[in-house]
Amino acid sequence: MKFDFSSRVPQTKDDVVGEILKVAGDPKIISFAGGLPAPELFPVKELKKAAARVFKRNGRDALQYTGSIGNPELRKMIAKHMNKNKHINPDIENICVTTGSEQTIDLTAKMLIDRGDVVLVEKPTYLCALDVFKSYGAKVVGVEMDEDGMKMDDLEEKLKQHPNTKLIYTIPNFQNPTGRTMTEDRRRSLADLAAKYHVMVLEDDPYGEIRFSGTPVPPVKYYDKDGYVIYMNTFSKILAPGMRLGWVIADKDFIKTFVVMKQSADLHSDNLSQYIVAEYMKKNDLDAHVKTISDEYGKRASLMLKEIDEQFPEGVRHSNPEGGMFVWVEIPGNVNTMDLFYKCVEHNVAFVPGEPFYPDEVVPGTFRLNYSNMKDDQIHEGIKRMADAISEMMNK
Ligand code: PMP
């Protein structure tokens, strides 16, 4: 049946990413396409114990409705965590618990974007965020980036060109899809430019704590003096994505309106999960757990980079992530990576082509590889299969 959907529903022909993930889901394929954390590292035992304590002591409260802003104990634990790991000091009134970062992106866009407003994003960027911004009628404009993150001269240029810019969206740490990290200087400049041009920044930081090399850099929010930066994070990568919990930190007046919008979206995030995570954070060392994850991902990343360096043809370039879950690869010669994707599928290996990550012009020959959910033998064999497919494409 043909439905008369609203203009918010994407009008595009096909679900390219859905198609890629479906093909990549075939069990004989080694898939670097996903973006899943390693499930063997989920703290199942500890969460089970935390859940048992919650059911024993607070079962009825945890199964009841709760306030939209989130469980006060969890917000206290988040404030402590942010203070220790990110050097920012939110009051609990600055924090709202969300149903994952995906919801924070959605509600923030709903709050700030009117049809035709401009959203500036890194080029390339997280493809689901692009879909959200577009669904609210934004004109999404890409800002150049390099190994040091979003380029501030191009950002200022774009801010001048588009006076109706409503939001700058950035993933400063181990960006999805490139794995790149924004330098401290640029973070400071970004906060300054936001204040100068009166534009809000949405800082998306799901990977920031999963650092396996280099030195941590404070978030853009750290440099924000006037409340232009909305900082968001999630338990998806540091604990378990199935619990669907994240948080947003912003000016108290922003949070008040955010809570009103959240009320009509889902009333509140899963109350039981909130109790369990708060209990887990009280009794367990979350930072030690994150260190275990980071160490393991670090090993997987270095193996993947070593295999790429050894097996991919001459002239291939890749990012050097210091954390997170992704490597970005660029192969020379204007290769269409959708074609390369199907060639790789013939070799039983998959990845995500660059195309869906670009807000405007696509840079050919680019693609994203995930290492967080890959065992050593899969990395070795998968990169070998990709190298064969790339050679075939390049020598065609
Ligand atoms: N932002 C980015 C950059 C992500 O990569 C992801 C998840 N892949 C999200 C947001 C959504 O995360 P959550 O599970 O918290 O909704």
Side-chain angles (χ1 to χ4, degrees):
M1 189 172 153
K2 190 156 166 23
F3 295 99
D4 187 15
F5 288 126
S6 78
S7 59
R8 277 186 294 282
V9 175
Q11 303 298 311
T12 47
K13 356 79 217 173
D14 339 290
D15 172 13
V16 180
V17 177
E19 178 61 22
I20 289 165
L21 294 177
K22 197 168 94 198
V23 175
D26 181 332
K28 64 177 185 299
I29 287 186
I30 295 178
S31 176
F32 301 127
L36 304 184
E40 65 276 19
L41 300 178
F42 293 156
V44 175
K45 250 197 318 206
E46 292 78 3
L47 285 170
K48 191 174 161 198
K49 282 188 187 156
R53 289 195 297 271
V54 165
F55 274 111
K56 193 161 169 216
R57 277 190 240 136
N58 310 96
R60 293 189 189 281
D61 289 337
L63 294 170
Q64 186 55 284
Y65 283 118
T66 187
S68 304
I69 195 163
N71 179 313
E73 286 305 308
L74 179 59
R75 282 153 60 229
K76 267 186 222 157
M77 299 309 293
I78 290 171
K80 233 165 105 180
H81 182 80
M82 291 303 298
N83 187 353
K84 181 167 173 223
N85 293 294
K86 304 281 176 180
H87 314 295
I88 56 180
N89 277 315
D91 291 338
I92 68 165
E93 292 79 20
N94 293 111
I95 303 174
C96 177
V97 175
T98 63
T99 302
S101 290
E102 206 61 50
Q103 181 179 53
T104 314
I105 300 173
D106 185 63
L107 291 180
T108 304
K110 198 173 183 179
M111 285 165 68
L112 295 179
I113 296 165
D114 284 311
R115 197 152 284 283
D117 285 342
V118 166
V119 177
L120 299 179
V121 303
E122 281 138 5
K123 192 158 83 172
T125 191
Y126 179 45
L127 57 95
C128 299
L130 289 176
D131 291 343
V132 173
F133 300 141
K134 286 181 192 156
S135 77
Y136 288 106
K139 177 174 157 47
V140 184
V141 176
V143 179
E144 299 294 337
M145 76 183 304
D146 59 17
E147 287 308 315
D148 292 337
M150 189 187 274
K151 287 185 169 176
M152 291 302 123
D153 49 354
D154 194 44
L155 174 64
E156 183 150 24
E157 193 56 43
K158 299 276 159 60
L159 284 165
K160 284 183 189 154
Q161 267 171 28
H162 302 283
N164 59 335
T165 299
K166 261 316 202 29
L167 187 65
I168 302 163
Y169 171 70
T170 180
I171 311 162
N173 289 315
F174 327 125
Q175 197 233 24
N176 181 2
T178 62
R180 295 169 181 157
T181 294
M182 191 190 288
T183 56
E184 192 168 354
D185 279 356
R186 289 192 188 180
R187 292 174 192 225
R188 195 180 286 112
S189 303
L190 175 51
D192 290 348
L193 285 172
K196 180 171 169 193
Y197 289 87
H198 304 290
V199 174
M200 299 296 287
V201 174
L202 182 58
E203 178 176 22
D204 189 2
D205 192 23
Y207 305 104
E209 281 144 81
I210 306 182
R211 177 177 276 282
F212 41 75
S213 63
T215 317
V217 193
V220 181
K221 182 78 188 150
Y222 177 82
Y223 303 101
D224 173 35
K225 297 179 204 88
D226 304 305
Y228 285 98
V229 179
I230 305 155
Y231 174 92
M232 56 194 270
N233 206 327
T234 173
F235 289 104
S236 288
K237 309 293 151 52
I238 57 175
L239 211 49
M243 299 190 91
R244 304 309 302 131
L245 288 182
W247 65 94
V248 56
I249 297 180
D251 180 271
K252 288 177 191 169
D253 288 332
F254 184 91
I255 293 293
K256 272 190 199 150
T257 306
F258 189 93
V259 168
V260 173
M261 300 301 280
K262 183 169 164 62
Q263 256 160 24
S264 52
D266 65 353
L267 286 181
H268 60 76
S269 299
D270 186 319
N271 195 19
L272 178 59
S273 289
Q274 294 190 62
Y275 266 91
I276 295 171
V277 172
E279 178 66 20
Y280 171 91
M281 287 175 88
K282 267 189 232 161
K283 295 279 157 51
N284 299 270
D285 186 347
L286 177 59
D287 292 337
H289 174 63
V290 175
K291 167 102 176 48
T292 307
I293 298 173
S294 310
D295 290 350
E296 185 54 39
Y297 289 5
K299 284 186 208 144
R300 294 178 191 189
S302 15
L303 177 63
M304 182 173 268
L305 296 179
K306 176 177 148 291
E307 296 288 343
I308 291 175
D309 288 340
E310 285 175 13
Q311 304 203 44
F312 277 12
E314 194 82 0
V316 169
R317 293 191 303 169
H318 60 75
S319 59
N320 284 299
E322 294 188 333
M325 309 196 335
F326 305 109
V327 181
W328 187 244
V329 183
E330 287 187 56
I331 54 177
N334 280 333
V335 172
N336 177 323
T337 46
M338 275 314 292
D339 295 344
L340 178 63
F341 174 79
Y342 287 108
K343 174 59 74 192
C344 280
V345 168
E346 288 170 22
H347 287 255
N348 288 326
V349 63
F351 60 87
V352 185
E355 193 177 311
F357 297 105
Y358 284 99
D360 25 50
E361 329 94 296
V362 175
V363 177
T366 55
F367 56 88
R368 187 191 80 176
L369 301 178
N370 167 263
Y371 49 78
S372 59
N373 195 21
M374 286 287 122
K375 298 283 163 46
D376 289 4
D377 54 340
Q378 292 172 306
I379 293 176
H380 175 74
E381 178 60 27
I383 294 295
K384 179 167 162 294
R385 290 179 193 177
M386 280 195 77
D388 292 343
I390 294 171
S391 296
E392 276 179 36
M393 283 281 294
M394 288 172 68
N395 300 324
K396 211 168 48 172

